Amino acid sequence: MKVLLSLLLAFVSCIACAAVTPHSYWEPAIAAFEASDRANPPPQGAVLFIGSSSIEHWKSLAADFPELKVINRGFGGSVIGDSTYFAGRIVAPYRPRAILMYAGDNDLHEGLTPEQVRDEFAAFVQKVRSVDPGVPIAFVSTKPSMAFKALLPQIKQSNALIRAYVATQKDVTYLDIFTPMLGADGQPQWKWFGPDGLHMNRTGYELWIGIIRPWVDAHGH
C-alpha cells in the first residue's frame, strides 16, 4: 500500500511539473508593456508581432521593416495561451492592422500535445476576432531548434495541424519557416542559432525576414 501511495504521489508531482506556467507569472511583463504604452503611446494601425522569445529577442524589428509601423509584444517563455489571455491588454488597445504570432515550442516543451497547440492557436484567433473581426493574422511555424531537437516529431505534427486549421479560416495565414530551417538531412541546424541552440542569431532572423516580408507588406499598409 505504501509503495502504491508513493507511486501515486510521484505521478501527481510529475503532472504538476509538466503543468503550463500560470498566466499570472507574466503579469510583470504585461504591466511593463502597459507602462511603456502610457509613456510612449504606440501607433494605431501598426503590425503587431506577438508571442514568445523569438519575438521578444527581435530587437531590430523596426529597422528590419522600415516601411511599416510595427509593435513588438513578445514575452520570452510564454505559450500561445498567454497571448490569448492578455489579448485585451496587449492586442485590443493597439487596433493593429495585422497580427503576426510566433509561439508553440514552449507549449510542446511544457507538455501540450500537437492537437492542444493547434487548439490554443484557434482560441487565439477566436479571441482576437471577437475584438476585431477583420484583422489578418499570420502564424509563423514553430522552428526546429537544436535545443528542442527531441521534440522535432511533435513540432512537425503541430505545424501540420495548424496549417490544416489555417486553411479553413479567412484571412489567417501559415508562414513556413520550419522547412527552410531544416538541413538536407531533415534535422535542425546550428547555423541559425546562438550558443543556447534555442534563440536565433542574425542569420536566422534574416531567413525569417525573407519569408515574413511579403505577408506583412501585403497586409501592413
Side-chain angles (χ1 to χ4, degrees), residues 115-134:
E115 290 80 8
Q116 287 173 317
V117 176
R118 185 265 324 278
D119 292 346
E120 289 290 346
F121 179 62
F124 174 78
V125 171
Q126 185 176 15
K127 174 80 171 192
V128 169
R129 288 283 163 77
S130 72
V131 176
D132 185 345

Side-chain angles (χ1 to χ4, degrees), residues 61-72:
L61 185 65
D64 290 334
F65 297 97
E67 72 278 18
L68 300 172
K69 295 182 291 185
V70 300
I71 300 171
N72 186 321

Side-chain angles (χ1 to χ4, degrees), residues 14 18 32 71 82 87 106 114 138 142 161 163 188 209:
C14 286
I71 300 171
D82 293 317
N106 293 325
T142 303
L161 288 169
R163 188 172 210 156
I209 292 164

Side-chain angles (χ1 to χ4, degrees), residues 53-213:
S53 58
S54 293
I55 300 298
E56 181 189 17
H57 289 207
W58 200 340
K59 305 303 185 186
S60 61
L61 185 65
D64 290 334
F65 297 97
E67 72 278 18
L68 300 172
K69 295 182 291 185
V70 300
I71 300 171
N72 186 321
R73 286 297 174 264
F75 45 120
S78 64
V79 297
I80 295 170
D82 293 317
S83 291
T84 305
Y85 182 81
F86 290 112
R89 295 165 65 184
I90 58 168
V91 177
Y94 308 133
R95 300 186 180 277
R97 187 177 299 275
I99 299 171
L100 183 140
M101 165 174 271
Y102 177 83
D105 31 19
N106 293 325
D107 301 62
L108 293 168
H109 182 62
E110 293 198 16
L112 270 66
T113 66
E115 290 80 8
Q116 287 173 317
V117 176
R118 185 265 324 278
D119 292 346
E120 289 290 346
F121 179 62
F124 174 78
V125 171
Q126 185 176 15
K127 174 80 171 192
V128 169
R129 288 283 163 77
S130 72
V131 176
D132 185 345
V135 64
I137 302 168
F139 182 84
V140 178
S141 61
T142 303
K143 65 185 184 290
S145 67
M146 300 301 300
F148 292 160
K149 191 173 181 179
L151 290 172
L152 192 65
Q154 292 98 309
I155 292 171
K156 191 176 295 186
Q157 186 182 358
S158 172
N159 283 334
L161 288 169
I162 290 176
R163 188 172 210 156
Y165 160 73
V166 162
T168 69
Q169 302 299 302
K170 187 178 187 321
D171 290 326
V172 185
T173 303
Y174 174 90
L175 298 175
D176 182 16
I177 55 85
F178 175 84
T179 305
M181 291 185 82
L182 292 173
D185 59 356
Q187 294 299 307
Q189 302 183 86
W190 270 110
K191 70 178 182 178
W192 311 117
F193 298 98
D196 66 1
L198 178 63
H199 298 105
M200 294 188 302
N201 57 26
R202 183 61 192 172
T203 304
Y205 280 112
E206 285 175 351
L207 173 72
W208 281 32
I209 292 164
I211 294 166
I212 290 170
R213 170 161 275 122

